[in-house]
Amino acid sequence: MCGITGIYNVDNPLKVSEKTLIKMRDTLIHRGPDDEGIYISKDKKVGFGFRRLSIIDLSKAGNQPMTNEDKTIWLVFNGEIYNFQEIKKDLEKKGHKFHSKTDSEVVIHLYEEKGEECLKDLNGMFAFAIWDEKKKKLFAARDRLGIKPFYYYYKDGIFLFASEIKAILEHPEVKREPDKEGIFHYLTFACTPAPFTLFKNIKKLTPAHYLTLDANGNLQTNRYWSPIQNIQQYTEQDYINKTKELLKDSIEKQMVSDVPFGCFLSGGIDSSTNAVLMSQAMGKPVETFSISFKDLPKYDEFQYSRKIADTLGSKCYETVIGQKEFMEWLPKLAYQADDPNGDPVCFPVYYLSKLIRDSKVIMAQVGEGADELFCGYGTYMEFIRIYTKYWKYLEKLPKFIKKIPYFFLNLILPKNKLTLHKEFFRRLAYNKPFFFGGANAFSAYDKQFLMSDSYKKEIPFDASDNLIKSIYNELKVTNYKLQDFVQKMLYLELSIRLPELLLMRVDKMASAHSIEARVPFLDHRLVELAFSIPMHLKTKNKKTKYILKKAVEGIIPDKIINRKKQGFGAPTSEWMRKESPISNDLLNIIRNSKIKELNIFDYDYIEKLIFDHQNNLDDNSFKLWNLITLSLWYDKWIC
């Protein structure tokens, strides 16, 4: 993990300022405390900045910006390429000379050899930018699953990019303005779907996309990969065997490192599998890191993580956190996340990352992605049940009949009652997709009452419907034949929730402590295999993660495989209840935020949400937490 940033003054007379470039670069020191570097082209139209976290080849030869032999190709690179050794051997046979042992130098020479097609050869997590002096072209890319972030700004002939938005904001030409459409989508998805951010004129590159910017100012973005492009059909046993084989290979490949590494361990299937297979590949126990909450047994998984650590003989590091740590961390959240993240799990991930760094470990593997690939949540199973038993029949009814339940519920029930049911019937009435993602804060139905009248005139309350529709439409233009409900559902998860919520909570909170987190379940080969598994096998016998559980039999204990899922959570719901001593402090963040000056919310409706939650009349914690994180963001970055 590193921090990258850059400037390209395409058709603007401004020259790259070294002082500005350094200011941009050094906002990212937490992403790269080990070294630094800058490159400014001779004509001062292009500048790259780099902060390094040394993982592979710790010598100065690994520092960036990095160039080729004749200094016509310049690179800044964040991430890891796990198959770089194989690629390097092929390139050496073709005459390429290397001066370091890094994966980043391999990207330079692979680009020389294949141009933009180089992306198809890379197995890894990455965000990078290349300046091609001969072609006078900038080429930048984000990895297939969006594990690493890439933000950019392009206005008045000035193109800026960075690993985090805070670097872009250091440029004097950038104004800090809220993007109201970005805010709207954030309120739905608890994150901003690419290409949106909450900042006007600042975008993020969509996962599996690259961009090019030429000397005439033409900016283009293109997709280079899809999880459904290599669909293969196998027998059940073949799926099990191939899952096991690819998982072992991915975990082993992602252990390449010249610094100490370990494993996040919750005691669930995913992290336990990581820990066991890492230990087998090393030939000795991997160090493990676990976290729990004070006086909240509901969230305690130590009994399971300790079982795995004891079985392996691992050195096990543990930490326990509570309200004190939460309130100490909360003021830091907006700065650390900068494009806000509405997942309260950011809190334990932050302290887990701190534990890892304090233990002098620099890299750790995590289990993100397994639930989204193999259908691991109970909520997914409920969606499947409702879809197969009711929805697929109801959606075929005539339009006027489909509208009856929605209008009937609105007529007889108060606006704040059965809102989820009303939202589903709204989707039925207006031919909207049944599944909108696994982590929605405010539905379109809710937004009718959350949004002020003036905001609704700017952005329709159902504007996120079109965004969801555009993602589902991507499936229609492919030759993908399976397209059962589960595949469609998980395709949406890989488009929004996984990259912009789950992976960004890991990236931002881990980088706050200068550690790198790797995600072996998101090897693109394993992702393609998982998308080949049809619904009847993925959820066989009404079991979550059926294929994955069969694949890890004999690797981890049966008690871990068969235990009831306990999601990695945070007790924000409990801490917002009336009996909690920090409840009012948390909820006053919403009440006192200067975001009121945008006039986008109906605060009477918000007060009703607060009252119902504090008094145990409803669980509005996810809605309220997203209003808290949005308020913190606005007060930090806009005011």
Side-chain angles (χ1 to χ4, degrees):
M1 182 201 71
C2 299
I4 63 173
T5 190
I7 304 169
Y8 178 19
N9 293 327
V10 188
D11 53 3
N12 189 293
L14 284 175
K15 303 295 184 184
V16 172
S17 161
E18 181 176 341
K19 182 180 178 182
T20 296
L21 186 59
I22 290 173
K23 281 180 69 177
M24 292 171 66
R25 178 197 72 189
D26 288 349
T27 61
L28 304 172
I29 192 169
H30 54 287
R31 297 185 75 94
D34 298 332
D35 215 332
E36 63 191 36
I38 62 167
Y39 158 73
I40 299 177
S41 62
K42 289 180 181 179
D43 61 6
K44 294 192 174 181
K45 290 181 73 67
V46 178
F48 282 175
F50 180 72
R51 294 290 328 191
R52 185 184 186 197
L53 179 68
S54 302
I55 300 287
I56 296 174
D57 187 352
L58 309 185
S59 72
K60 286 288 184 180
N63 200 26
Q64 299 178 38
M66 191 174 281
T67 188
N68 62 343
E69 294 91 337
D70 63 3
K71 299 190 185 319
T72 58
I73 306 291
W74 286 87
L75 167 82
V76 280
F77 174 90
N78 169 33
E80 305 292 343
I81 305 300
Y82 303 122
N83 62 336
F84 79 98
Q85 295 285 16
E86 301 97 288
I87 297 172
K88 185 175 182 180
K89 288 178 183 177
D90 290 339
L91 291 170
E92 285 175 330
K93 290 176 183 176
K94 294 175 181 177
H96 291 267
K97 304 295 183 184
F98 290 84
H99 303 284
S100 74
K101 298 178 181 178
T102 64
D103 52 347
S104 47
E105 190 179 6
V106 169
V107 175
I108 293 176
H109 291 284
L110 189 62
Y111 172 78
E112 285 184 299
E113 193 69 29
K114 295 190 172 184
E116 290 141 25
E117 290 292 305
C118 69
L119 294 167
K120 295 180 180 178
D121 291 0
L122 302 178
N123 181 334
M125 58 179 192
F126 52 82
F128 66 78
I130 286 176
W131 172 245
D132 189 326
E133 180 64 32
K134 289 180 180 178
K135 295 180 179 179
K136 298 294 182 183
K137 182 174 74 173
L138 185 82
F139 166 54
R142 188 178 179 194
D143 65 69
R144 293 171 177 85
L145 280 305
I147 304 165
K148 294 289 118 185
F150 187 95
Y151 299 97
Y152 66 95
Y153 166 101
Y154 187 35
K155 187 182 179 189
D156 300 328
I158 299 173
F159 181 85
L160 312 170
F161 70 87
S163 298
E164 296 182 13
I165 293 173
K166 57 179 66 71
I168 293 172
L169 295 176
E170 286 298 318
H171 194 283
E173 294 298 313
V174 178
K175 296 179 181 178
R176 299 185 183 190
E177 300 177 281
D179 185 298
K180 288 189 176 181
E181 188 173 0
I183 290 173
F184 181 91
H185 293 312
Y186 182 79
L187 291 167
T188 298
F189 304 111
C191 61
T192 46
F196 293 98
T197 74
L198 263 61
F199 294 88
K200 193 174 182 179
N201 299 315
I202 298 178
K203 297 182 178 182
K204 55 186 160 195
L205 191 57
T206 304
H209 281 66
Y210 68 88
L211 66 79
T212 56
L213 179 59
D214 65 24
N216 296 318
N218 298 314
L219 188 150
Q220 293 186 334
T221 60
N222 295 281
R223 185 169 201 144
Y224 65 89
W225 177 84
S226 169
I228 58 175
Q229 68 184 31
N230 289 315
I231 294 296
Q232 302 289 330
Q233 292 187 329
Y234 302 108
T235 66
E236 176 181 330
Q237 193 57 50
D238 283 341
Y239 281 125
I240 293 167
N241 294 341
K242 289 178 182 295
T243 297
K244 184 184 297 187
E245 175 188 327
L246 283 175
L247 191 51
K248 285 182 175 180
D249 187 62
S250 175
I251 287 173
E252 187 168 352
K253 272 187 167 65
Q254 296 197 23
M255 288 167 61
V256 58
S257 173
D258 293 328
V259 296
F261 57 82
C263 179
F264 284 25
L265 182 60
S266 68
I269 293 173
D270 314 329
S271 64
S272 299
T273 301
N274 268 352
V276 172
L277 292 180
M278 287 178 79
S279 298
Q280 289 179 4
M282 292 168 60
K284 62 178 182 179
V286 68
E287 294 185 352
T288 62
F289 299 86
S290 306
I291 196 164
S292 189
F293 294 91
K294 295 173 184 173
D295 304 319
L296 288 163
K298 172 183 173 182
Y299 296 89
D300 185 11
E301 292 188 88
F302 277 168
Q303 61 175 312
Y304 302 109
S305 60
R306 287 168 182 168
K307 179 178 179 60
I308 293 294
D310 289 345
T311 299
L312 294 172
S314 299
K315 187 173 183 180
C316 180
Y317 298 86
E318 296 178 345
T319 190
V320 179
I321 53 177
Q323 292 182 8
K324 176 178 176 292
E325 290 78 12
F326 181 70
M327 296 306 291
E328 289 173 353
W329 163 78
L330 197 58
K332 305 172 187 175
L333 174 59
Y335 181 79
Q336 291 159 352
D338 72 14
D339 191 32
N341 190 302
D343 192 333
V345 172
C346 287
F347 168 52
V349 172
Y350 174 85
Y351 279 100
L352 192 55
S353 301
K354 181 179 186 300
L355 173 67
I356 291 171
R357 187 71 191 197
D358 289 347
S359 305
K360 297 183 170 45
V361 168
I362 310 300
M363 184 273 281
Q365 290 195 10
V366 301
E368 254 69 13
D371 288 311
E372 287 68 34
L373 295 183
F374 293 99
C375 207
Y377 296 114
T379 50
Y380 287 167
M381 301 301 287
E382 182 63 10
F383 277 118
I384 293 166
R385 186 189 70 82
I386 295 172
Y387 177 83
T388 55
K389 197 170 182 178
Y390 304 109
W391 188 273
K392 71 178 183 179
Y393 303 110
L394 291 173
E395 66 181 352
K396 295 175 182 177
L397 293 172
K399 287 183 180 180
F400 76 94
I401 294 178
K402 289 193 291 186
K403 290 183 178 181
I404 293 172
Y406 179 57
F407 288 107
F408 182 70
L409 284 175
N410 278 328
L411 187 66
I412 65 171
L413 290 173
K415 64 184 179 182
N416 62 317
K417 296 299 182 184
L418 293 180
T419 58
L420 187 58
H421 294 75
K422 291 176 184 175
E423 171 61 14
F424 284 146
F425 281 118
R426 182 195 72 85
R427 296 175 193 176
L428 180 68
Y430 295 102
N431 297 314
K432 307 299 181 182
F434 171 60
F435 183 75
F436 266 51
N440 292 168
F442 291 94
S443 69
Y445 177 83
D446 296 321
K447 285 180 180 177
Q448 295 177 88
F449 313 109
L450 172 70
M451 295 163 58
S452 66
D453 290 338
S454 60
Y455 194 23
K456 281 185 281 191
K457 289 176 183 177
E458 291 182 65
I459 302 173
F461 73 90
D462 58 353
S464 291
D465 289 352
N466 292 330
L467 191 148
I468 295 294
K469 184 179 178 181
S470 69
I471 292 172
Y472 281 123
N473 282 343
E474 292 171 7
L475 293 170
K476 293 181 180 179
V477 297
T478 70
N479 294 320
Y480 182 36
K481 301 300 182 186
L482 282 174
Q483 292 203 28
D484 60 35
F485 174 66
V486 168
Q487 269 82 4
K488 291 178 181 178
M489 182 173 74
L490 299 185
Y491 184 83
L492 181 63
E493 292 290 76
L494 260 69
S495 299
I496 300 179
R497 181 170 169 269
L498 180 67
E500 310 306 348
L501 188 74
L502 305 184
L503 291 174
M504 287 305 98
R505 78 185 182 191
V506 173
D507 178 86
K508 301 294 178 63
M509 297 303 108
S511 68
H513 293 290
S514 305
I515 69 163
E516 178 174 276
R518 297 182 181 176
V519 281
F521 280 95
L522 294 179
D523 182 301
H524 71 275
R525 300 168 301 161
L526 190 58
V527 174
E528 290 170 0
L529 177 67
F531 265 81
S532 298
I533 304 171
M535 182 168 74
H536 74 274
L537 288 180
K538 223 166 212 172
T539 60
K540 188 175 178 180
N541 301 328
K542 298 183 179 179
K543 281 187 178 181
T544 58
K545 290 184 181 172
Y546 173 78
I547 293 293
L548 180 61
K549 287 175 179 178
K550 297 296 288 185
V552 299
E553 284 181 356
I555 295 175
I556 62 175
D558 288 347
K559 285 186 178 179
I560 297 295
I561 295 173
N562 297 321
R563 81 176 180 94
K564 185 179 178 181
K565 182 176 178 60
Q566 183 174 337
F568 191 38
T572 48
S573 180
E574 290 86 345
W575 290 345
M576 290 182 204
R577 299 293 186 190
K578 201 168 189 177
E579 57 270 20
S580 167
I582 63 171
S583 176
N584 284 331
D585 290 337
L586 287 175
L587 297 168
N588 283 339
I589 292 171
I590 302 170
R591 295 179 173 120
N592 300 330
S593 173
K594 292 182 181 179
I595 199 172
K596 282 186 176 181
E597 65 192 21
L598 292 182
N599 190 31
I600 60 177
F601 295 135
D602 181 329
Y603 280 88
D604 289 337
Y605 176 75
I606 290 175
E607 284 298 332
K608 178 62 176 170
L609 294 178
I610 290 173
F611 179 86
D612 285 353
H613 185 83
Q614 281 196 310
N615 291 280
N616 296 291
L617 300 175
D618 206 347
D619 188 345
N620 295 320
S621 57
F622 195 53
K623 291 182 172 71
L624 294 172
W625 177 249
N626 276 271
L627 291 173
I628 288 170
T629 53
L630 181 63
S631 299
L632 289 169
W633 168 81
Y634 190 90
D635 293 344
K636 168 63 185 175
W637 293 111
I638 304 300
C639 292

